[in-house]
Coordinates of all heavy atoms in Angstrom, one line a residue:
K120 N 0.8 -1.2 0.0 CA 0.0 0.0 0.0 C 0.8 1.3 0.0 O 0.3 2.3 -0.3 CB -0.9 0.0 1.2 CG -2.0 -1.1 1.2 CD -2.9 -0.9 -0.1 CE -3.9 -2.1 -0.2 NZ -4.6 -2.0 -1.5
A121 N 2.1 1.2 0.3 CA 3.0 2.4 0.3 C 4.4 1.9 0.4 O 4.7 0.8 0.8 CB 2.6 3.3 1.5
F122 N 5.3 2.8 0.0 CA 6.8 2.5 0.2 C 7.5 3.8 0.2 O 7.1 4.8 -0.2 CB 7.3 1.6 -0.9 CG 7.2 2.2 -2.3 CD1 8.2 2.9 -2.8 CD2 6.1 2.0 -3.1 CE1 8.1 3.4 -4.1 CE2 5.9 2.5 -4.4 CZ 7.0 3.2 -4.9
G123 N 8.7 3.7 0.8 CA 9.6 4.9 0.9 C 11.0 4.5 1.1 O 11.3 3.5 1.6
K124 N 11.9 5.4 0.6 CA 13.3 5.1 0.7 C 14.1 6.0 1.7 O 13.8 7.2 1.7 CB 13.9 5.3 -0.7 CG 15.3 4.6 -0.9 CD 15.7 4.7 -2.4 CE 16.9 3.8 -2.7 NZ 17.2 3.8 -4.1
T125 N 15.0 5.4 2.4 CA 15.7 6.2 3.4 C 16.8 7.1 2.6 O 17.1 6.8 1.4 CB 16.5 5.4 4.4 OG1 17.5 4.6 3.7 CG2 15.5 4.4 5.1
R126 N 17.3 8.0 3.3 CA 18.5 8.7 2.7 C 19.7 7.7 2.9 O 19.5 6.6 3.5 CB 18.8 10.0 3.5 CG 19.2 9.8 5.0 CD 19.5 11.1 5.6 NE 20.0 10.9 7.0 CZ 19.2 10.7 8.1 NH1 17.9 10.7 7.9 NH2 19.8 10.6 9.3
E127 N 20.9 8.1 2.5 CA 22.0 7.2 2.7 C 22.4 7.2 4.2 O 22.8 8.3 4.7 CB 23.2 7.6 1.8 CG 24.4 6.6 1.9 CD 25.4 6.9 0.8 OE1 25.1 7.6 -0.1 OE2 26.5 6.4 1.0
L128 N 22.3 6.1 4.8 CA 22.6 5.9 6.2 C 24.0 5.4 6.4 O 24.3 4.4 5.9 CB 21.5 5.0 6.9 CG 20.1 5.5 6.8 CD1 19.2 4.4 7.4 CD2 19.9 6.8 7.5
K129 N 24.7 6.0 7.3 CA 26.0 5.6 7.7 C 25.9 4.4 8.7 O 24.8 4.3 9.3 CB 26.9 6.7 8.3 CG 27.1 7.8 7.3 CD 27.9 9.0 8.0 CE 28.1 10.1 7.0 NZ 28.9 11.2 7.7
P130 N 26.9 3.6 8.9 CA 26.8 2.5 9.9 C 26.4 3.0 11.2 O 26.9 4.0 11.7 CB 28.2 2.0 9.9 CG 28.8 2.2 8.5 CD 28.2 3.5 8.1
G131 N 25.3 2.4 11.8 CA 24.8 2.8 13.1 C 23.8 4.0 13.0 O 23.2 4.3 14.0
E132 N 23.6 4.6 11.9 CA 22.7 5.7 11.7 C 21.3 5.2 11.5 O 21.1 4.2 10.9 CB 23.2 6.6 10.6 CG 22.4 8.0 10.5 CD 23.0 8.9 9.5 OE1 23.8 8.4 8.6 OE2 22.7 10.1 9.5
S133 N 20.3 6.0 12.0 CA 18.9 5.7 11.9 C 18.1 6.8 11.2 O 18.5 7.9 11.2 CB 18.3 5.3 13.2 OG 18.9 4.3 13.9
E134 N 16.9 6.4 10.7 CA 16.0 7.4 10.1 C 14.6 6.8 10.3 O 14.3 5.6 10.2 CB 16.2 7.6 8.6 CG 15.3 8.6 8.0 CD 15.5 8.9 6.5 OE1 16.5 8.3 6.0 OE2 14.7 9.6 5.9
I135 N 13.6 7.7 10.6 CA 12.2 7.3 10.8 C 11.5 7.6 9.4 O 11.5 8.7 8.9 CB 11.5 8.1 11.9 CG1 12.1 7.8 13.2 CG2 10.0 7.8 11.9 CD1 11.6 8.5 14.4
I136 N 11.0 6.5 8.9 CA 10.2 6.6 7.6 C 8.8 6.7 7.9 O 8.2 5.9 8.7 CB 10.5 5.4 6.7 CG1 12.0 5.4 6.3 CG2 9.6 5.5 5.4 CD1 12.4 6.6 5.4
K137 N 8.1 7.7 7.3 CA 6.6 7.9 7.5 C 5.9 7.6 6.2 O 6.3 8.1 5.2 CB 6.3 9.3 8.0 CG 6.9 9.7 9.3 CD 6.4 11.1 9.8 CE 6.9 11.4 11.2 NZ 6.4 12.7 11.7
L138 N 5.0 6.7 6.3 CA 4.2 6.3 5.1 C 2.7 6.5 5.5 O 2.3 6.3 6.6 CB 4.4 4.8 4.8 CG 5.9 4.5 4.5 CD1 6.1 3.0 4.4 CD2 6.4 5.2 3.2
Q139 N 1.9 6.8 4.5 CA 0.5 7.1 4.8 C -0.4 6.4 3.8 O -0.1 6.1 2.6 CB 0.2 8.6 4.8 CG 0.4 9.3 3.5 CD 0.2 10.8 3.7 OE1 0.4 11.4 4.7 NE2 -0.3 11.4 2.6
F140 N -1.7 6.1 4.2 CA -2.7 5.6 3.3 C -4.1 5.9 3.9 O -4.2 6.4 5.0 CB -2.5 4.1 3.2 CG -2.7 3.3 4.5 CD1 -3.9 2.8 4.9 CD2 -1.5 3.2 5.3 CE1 -4.0 2.1 6.1 CE2 -1.6 2.5 6.5 CZ -2.8 2.0 6.9
T141 N -5.1 5.8 3.1 CA -6.5 6.1 3.5 C -7.3 4.8 3.6 O -6.9 3.8 3.1 CB -7.1 7.1 2.5 OG1 -7.3 6.4 1.3 CG2 -6.3 8.3 2.4
D142 N -8.5 4.9 4.1 CA -9.4 3.8 4.2 C -9.8 3.3 2.8 O -9.9 2.2 2.5 CB -10.7 4.2 4.9 CG -10.5 4.4 6.4 OD1 -9.5 3.9 6.9 OD2 -11.3 5.1 7.0
Y143 N -9.8 4.3 1.8 CA -10.2 3.9 0.5 C -9.0 3.1 -0.2 O -9.3 2.3 -1.0 CB -10.4 5.2 -0.3 CG -10.8 5.0 -1.8 CD1 -12.1 4.5 -2.1 CD2 -9.9 5.2 -2.8 CE1 -12.4 4.3 -3.5 CE2 -10.2 5.0 -4.1 CZ -11.5 4.6 -4.5 OH -11.8 4.4 -5.8
D144 N -7.8 3.4 0.2 CA -6.7 2.7 -0.4 C -6.7 1.2 -0.1 O -6.0 0.4 -0.8 CB -5.3 3.3 0.2 CG -5.1 4.7 -0.4 OD1 -5.6 5.0 -1.5 OD2 -4.4 5.5 0.3
I145 N -7.4 0.8 1.0 CA -7.4 -0.6 1.4 C -8.7 -1.3 1.1 O -9.0 -2.3 1.6 CB -7.0 -0.8 2.9 CG1 -8.0 0.0 3.8 CG2 -5.6 -0.3 3.1 CD1 -7.7 -0.3 5.3
A146 N -9.5 -0.6 0.2 CA -10.8 -1.1 -0.2 C -10.7 -2.2 -1.2 O -9.7 -2.3 -2.0 CB -11.7 0.0 -0.7
S147 N -11.7 -3.1 -1.3 CA -11.8 -4.1 -2.4 C -13.1 -3.9 -3.1 O -14.1 -3.3 -2.5 CB -11.8 -5.5 -1.8 OG -10.5 -5.8 -1.3
F148 N -13.2 -4.3 -4.3 CA -14.4 -4.1 -5.1 C -15.4 -5.2 -4.8 O -15.2 -6.4 -5.0 CB -14.1 -4.0 -6.6 CG -15.3 -3.5 -7.4 CD1 -15.7 -2.2 -7.2 CD2 -16.0 -4.3 -8.3 CE1 -16.7 -1.7 -7.9 CE2 -17.0 -3.8 -9.0 CZ -17.4 -2.5 -8.8
D149 N -16.6 -4.7 -4.4 CA -17.8 -5.6 -4.2 C -18.6 -5.6 -5.4 O -19.4 -4.8 -5.7 CB -18.6 -5.0 -3.0 CG -19.8 -5.8 -2.7 OD1 -20.1 -6.9 -3.4 OD2 -20.6 -5.4 -1.8
E150 N -18.4 -6.7 -6.2 CA -19.0 -6.8 -7.5 C -20.5 -6.9 -7.5 O -21.3 -6.3 -8.3 CB -18.5 -8.0 -8.3 CG -17.0 -8.0 -8.6 CD -16.5 -9.2 -9.2 OE1 -17.3 -10.2 -9.4 OE2 -15.3 -9.3 -9.5
N151 N -21.1 -7.6 -6.4 CA -22.5 -7.7 -6.3 C -23.2 -6.4 -6.1 O -24.4 -6.3 -6.5 CB -22.8 -8.7 -5.2 CG -22.3 -10.1 -5.4 OD1 -22.2 -10.5 -6.6 ND2 -21.9 -10.8 -4.4
N152 N -22.6 -5.5 -5.5 CA -23.2 -4.2 -5.1 C -22.6 -3.0 -5.8 O -23.0 -1.9 -5.5 CB -23.2 -4.0 -3.6 CG -23.9 -5.1 -2.8 OD1 -25.2 -5.2 -3.0 ND2 -23.2 -5.9 -2.1
S153 N -21.7 -3.3 -6.8 CA -21.1 -2.2 -7.5 C -20.5 -1.1 -6.6 O -20.9 0.1 -6.7 CB -22.0 -1.6 -8.6 OG -22.3 -2.5 -9.5
Q154 N -19.7 -1.5 -5.7 CA -19.1 -0.5 -4.8 C -17.7 -1.0 -4.3 O -17.4 -2.2 -4.3 CB -20.0 -0.3 -3.6 CG -20.2 -1.6 -2.7 CD -21.2 -1.4 -1.6 OE1 -21.9 -0.4 -1.5 NE2 -21.3 -2.4 -0.7
W155 N -16.9 0.0 -3.9 CA -15.7 -0.3 -3.2 C -16.0 -0.4 -1.7 O -16.8 0.4 -1.1 CB -14.7 0.8 -3.4 CG -14.1 0.8 -4.8 CD1 -14.6 1.6 -5.8 CD2 -13.1 0.0 -5.3 NE1 -13.9 1.3 -7.0 CE2 -12.9 0.3 -6.7 CE3 -12.3 -1.0 -4.8 CZ2 -12.0 -0.3 -7.5 CZ3 -11.3 -1.6 -5.6 CH2 -11.2 -1.2 -6.9
L156 N -15.4 -1.4 -1.1 CA -15.7 -1.7 0.3 C -14.5 -1.9 1.2 O -13.6 -2.7 0.8 CB -16.6 -3.0 0.4 CG -16.8 -3.6 1.8 CD1 -17.6 -2.7 2.7 CD2 -17.5 -5.0 1.6
T157 N -14.4 -1.2 2.3 CA -13.4 -1.4 3.3 C -14.1 -2.0 4.5 O -14.9 -1.3 5.1 CB -12.7 -0.1 3.7 OG1 -11.9 0.4 2.5 CG2 -11.7 -0.4 4.8
S158 N -13.9 -3.2 4.8 CA -14.6 -3.9 5.8 C -14.1 -3.5 7.2 O -12.9 -3.3 7.4 CB -14.5 -5.4 5.6 OG -15.0 -5.8 4.4
K159 N -15.0 -3.6 8.2 CA -14.6 -3.3 9.6 C -13.8 -4.6 10.0 O -13.9 -5.7 9.5 CB -15.8 -3.1 10.4 CG -16.7 -4.3 10.5 CD -17.9 -4.0 11.4 CE -18.8 -5.2 11.5 NZ -20.0 -4.9 12.3
G160 N -13.0 -4.3 11.1 CA -12.3 -5.4 11.7 C -10.8 -5.1 12.0 O -10.4 -3.9 11.8
K161 N -10.0 -6.1 12.3 CA -8.6 -5.9 12.7 C -7.7 -6.1 11.5 O -7.8 -7.2 10.9 CB -8.3 -6.7 13.9 CG -6.8 -6.5 14.4 CD -6.5 -7.4 15.6 CE -7.2 -6.8 16.8 NZ -6.7 -7.5 18.1
Y162 N -6.9 -5.2 11.2 CA -5.9 -5.3 10.1 C -4.5 -5.4 10.7 O -4.3 -5.0 11.9 CB -6.0 -4.0 9.2 CG -7.3 -3.9 8.4 CD1 -8.5 -3.6 9.0 CD2 -7.2 -4.2 7.0 CE1 -9.6 -3.5 8.2 CE2 -8.4 -4.1 6.3 CZ -9.6 -3.7 6.9 OH -10.7 -3.6 6.1
L163 N -3.6 -5.9 9.9 CA -2.2 -6.0 10.3 C -1.3 -5.3 9.4 O -1.4 -5.5 8.2 CB -1.8 -7.5 10.4 CG -0.4 -7.7 11.0 CD1 -0.3 -7.3 12.4 CD2 0.0 -9.2 10.8
L164 N -0.5 -4.4 9.9 CA 0.4 -3.6 9.1 C 1.8 -4.2 9.2 O 2.2 -4.5 10.3 CB 0.4 -2.2 9.7 CG 0.9 -1.0 8.8 CD1 -0.1 -0.9 7.6 CD2 0.9 0.3 9.6
S165 N 2.4 -4.5 8.1 CA 3.8 -5.1 8.1 C 4.7 -4.2 7.3 O 4.5 -3.8 6.2 CB 3.7 -6.5 7.4 OG 2.9 -7.4 8.2
F166 N 5.9 -4.0 7.9 CA 7.0 -3.2 7.3 C 8.0 -4.3 6.8 O 8.5 -5.0 7.6 CB 7.6 -2.3 8.3 CG 6.7 -1.2 8.9 CD1 5.9 -1.5 10.0 CD2 6.6 0.0 8.3 CE1 5.1 -0.6 10.6 CE2 5.7 1.0 8.8 CZ 5.0 0.7 10.0

């Protein structure tokens, strides 16, 4: 759903990467009702 690249990090150096998305970005198409649907429930975000 998103990706981002760090700057060049030296050994031991860190950077916080911020990525964003909306509810619409995680919707699926419901063919029976001709609509995009984001279902309620628990989602898992993986980096």
Side-chain angles (χ1 to χ4, degrees):
K120 293 303 176 183
F122 61 91
K124 196 171 191 175
T125 68
R126 66 179 187 277
E127 186 167 344
L128 299 177
K129 297 178 182 179
E132 191 174 11
S133 300
E134 180 181 357
I135 295 177
I136 296 296
K137 294 186 177 183
L138 303 171
Q139 63 182 33
F140 60 94
T141 65
D142 291 339
Y143 181 75
D144 292 331
I145 58 177
S147 291
F148 193 66
D149 176 5
E150 298 175 359
N151 295 328
N152 297 296
S153 294
Q154 64 184 7
W155 289 97
L156 168 65
T157 295
S158 300
K159 65 181 179 181
K161 182 176 288 188
Y162 290 73
L163 184 66
L164 205 63
S165 298
F166 301 87

